[in-house]
Amino acid sequence: MGTTQLEAAQEPKYWHLRTVLAEALDSEFAVGEVLPNERDLAARFGVARATLRQALEQLELEGRLQRRRGVGTTVAPPRIGVPVGPAEGNWPGAGNDTWRTIGCVEAPAPAAVASLLNEGRPGYCATDMVHTIRRVRMSHGQPVATELLYVPRDSVPGLPELLPPTAHPRAVLRELHRLELESEDRTVELGSARAEDAKQLERLPGAPVLVVTTRYVTGGRVGAVAVATYRADTCRLTFGDTGAVEITHHDDERRQAS
């Protein structure tokens, strides 16, 4: 890592520093190696620690660095390739579904989700109880995403009143699969990990995440909403010609360009 004339750069100092650091990561550091502490890095590049932190945060957001409690800032491994798109027009929990169910409760949906569930459902109230299934997705031995699947009671009217906790999520999914799935759409946005999601993903609260919200439409109304939270340091979402979403290895673009 050599010094550079940051004052001559026309772009923001932190962004120029981010570029210099990224080049050093490619040439001088191995995956898992711990970077020098912030004081040493700031002194080497002649920048304020606030500027250094901005550059490090940007590289963390891009998946180049990981901040590990008790260890420091390390060089991140390559992003993991995991398909994330629609499972051939199936409801969640289909045979080729790679998610693992870890719990189910009944509770009102968050306001943003409730507004989606209200579409095509006259009389729906934001305080109505919905079946809320939590699922987690593992890849290469590590959690890459956690999901909350919200299913209104009237989407699964055949569900028995009393179910043991272990049978509840399976019964909800089974009833969903009896319905005809007309369409599904999804949105992707950058967010910050909430406490429970961060715990499931083995991240710190507030860590950058990618939030994928999927609406499942049946009978002219939204039958269920899934909110999946992906680790931004591990995953990259790309859209194919079919609108499917998948996560690609961050080296794929380099191979395609060569």
Side-chain angles (χ1 to χ4, degrees):
M1 276 189 176
T3 58
T4 183
Q5 297 296 324
L6 295 179
E7 284 73 12
Q10 297 301 311
E11 57 195 352
K13 286 186 178 181
Y14 88 89
W15 189 261
H16 184 65
L17 178 58
R18 169 257 171 220
T19 302
V20 174
L21 286 171
E23 293 173 353
L25 294 179
D26 290 334
S27 61
E28 301 180 28
F29 290 85
V31 170
E33 187 171 350
V34 181
L35 296 188
N37 61 45
E38 290 185 358
R39 179 182 300 173
D40 290 344
L41 285 176
R44 173 170 292 187
F45 289 99
V47 298
R49 293 179 68 174
T51 301
L52 176 68
R53 289 194 188 102
Q54 284 183 290
L56 294 177
E57 288 171 359
Q58 179 62 36
L59 288 170
E60 182 185 15
L61 183 62
E62 295 172 14
R64 302 301 308 278
L65 297 176
Q66 290 180 338
R67 298 195 183 196
R68 301 169 58 189
R69 180 178 294 171
V71 176
T73 301
T74 63
V75 180
R79 285 174 170 154
I80 301 170
V82 183
V84 188
E88 301 299 331
N90 290 329
W91 290 101
N96 56 349
D97 195 328
T98 57
W99 294 82
R100 177 169 57 88
T101 300
I102 59 175
C104 184
V105 298
E106 286 194 78
V113 174
S115 66
L116 296 176
L117 294 175
N118 188 45
E119 298 178 20
R121 184 174 279 104
Y124 176 80
C125 179
T127 58
D128 287 352
M129 304 293 277
V130 299
H131 304 285
T132 306
I133 301 174
R134 179 174 285 277
R135 307 197 300 166
V136 67
R137 188 169 191 176
M138 306 291 292
S139 182
H140 296 71
Q142 65 174 307
V144 295
T146 181
E147 179 190 75
L148 288 172
L149 175 65
Y150 300 93
V151 183
R153 285 177 171 177
D154 61 3
S155 287
V156 288
L159 199 68
E161 286 295 329
L162 296 177
L163 284 169
T166 55
H168 193 170
R170 293 198 302 273
V172 173
L173 292 174
R174 183 172 60 249
E175 291 300 313
L176 268 183
H177 294 168
R178 299 180 190 275
L179 306 176
E180 179 183 357
L181 179 59
E182 297 175 356
S183 64
E184 53 186 295
D185 59 71
R186 55 190 41 78
T187 60
V188 182
E189 59 185 331
L190 182 66
S192 300
R194 299 174 302 175
E196 183 61 28
D197 293 332
K199 180 180 179 181
Q200 294 294 333
L201 296 175
E202 300 177 0
R203 300 285 283 151
L204 294 176
V209 292
L210 296 167
V211 181
V212 181
T213 302
T214 305
R215 300 188 318 154
Y216 298 93
V217 178
T218 180
R221 66 182 184 181
V222 177
V225 171
V227 180
T229 302
Y230 288 84
R231 290 180 53 157
D233 66 323
T234 302
C235 308
R236 173 177 293 170
L237 306 186
T238 61
F239 294 84
D241 294 337
T242 62
V245 185
E246 62 180 14
I247 305 175
T248 60
H249 192 294
H250 82 273
D251 283 342
D252 287 351
E253 292 180 356
R254 297 179 190 175
R255 289 196 292 268
Q256 293 170 3
S258 60

